[in-house]
Amino acid sequence: MELDSLYQEVILDHYRKPAHKALQPNPTNQVHHINPACGDEVTLNLHMDGQKIVDVSWDGVGCSISQASTSIMTDLMIGKDVDSAMKVLNEFTELMQSKGSLKGDEEILDDAVALAGVSKFPARIKCALLGWMAFKDAVSQSQSGN
Ligand code: ZN
């Protein structure tokens, strides 16, 4: 796959120095998601205070796209309330489904726009979405009181 070189650098940077990659104890919810097609795995710990996402920490193995995307996601979500976090998540999901037609709104997605090129490669979209779907699952569990 070919990605813009600047974007490639952002992804590699997150892959080499992942943000919040150390599971924090006593999470409100913990989820484990896998992407068998590529062998990516993410365990995610979510700490909530009411509607506020206090912390998102994770551990995982897999390709650079899956690991970098999870790292980028944690940076974006920590400190947000559930409503704004879901807006960011929907924006990213839309970007991933755009087949390369969208560039992504940097105001909303920050470093995640670096993953825009992934949407041209159907096999890799699940890699990019893995951590985000894990996050969505954890938040929805926290909302239903599980
Ligand atoms: Zn992958």
Side-chain angles (χ1 to χ4, degrees), residues 42 79 101 106:
V42 164
S101 67
E106 202 169 353

Side-chain angles (χ1 to χ4, degrees), residues 76-118:
L76 277 165
M77 297 308 190
I78 293 169
K80 285 196 164 55
D81 61 32
V82 170
D83 282 352
S84 21
M86 288 306 127
K87 276 181 197 140
V88 176
L89 196 141
N90 290 338
E91 186 83 14
F92 185 71
T93 309
E94 201 178 302
L95 178 63
M96 285 303 106
Q97 290 163 349
S98 75
K99 301 186 171 75
S101 67
L102 298 178
K103 287 190 158 59
D105 185 341
E106 202 169 353
E107 294 266 308
I108 300 171
L109 291 174
D110 198 35
D111 278 358
V113 297
L115 292 153
V118 173

Side-chain angles (χ1 to χ4, degrees), residues 35 38 40 63 66 124 127:
N35 173 23
C38 182
D40 309 319
C63 69
S66 68
R124 308 309 300 277
C127 301

Side-chain angles (χ1 to χ4, degrees), residues 28-29 138-146:
T28 314
N29 292 91
V139 170
S140 96
Q141 285 184 26
S142 80
Q143 300 298 295
S144 63
N146 287 330

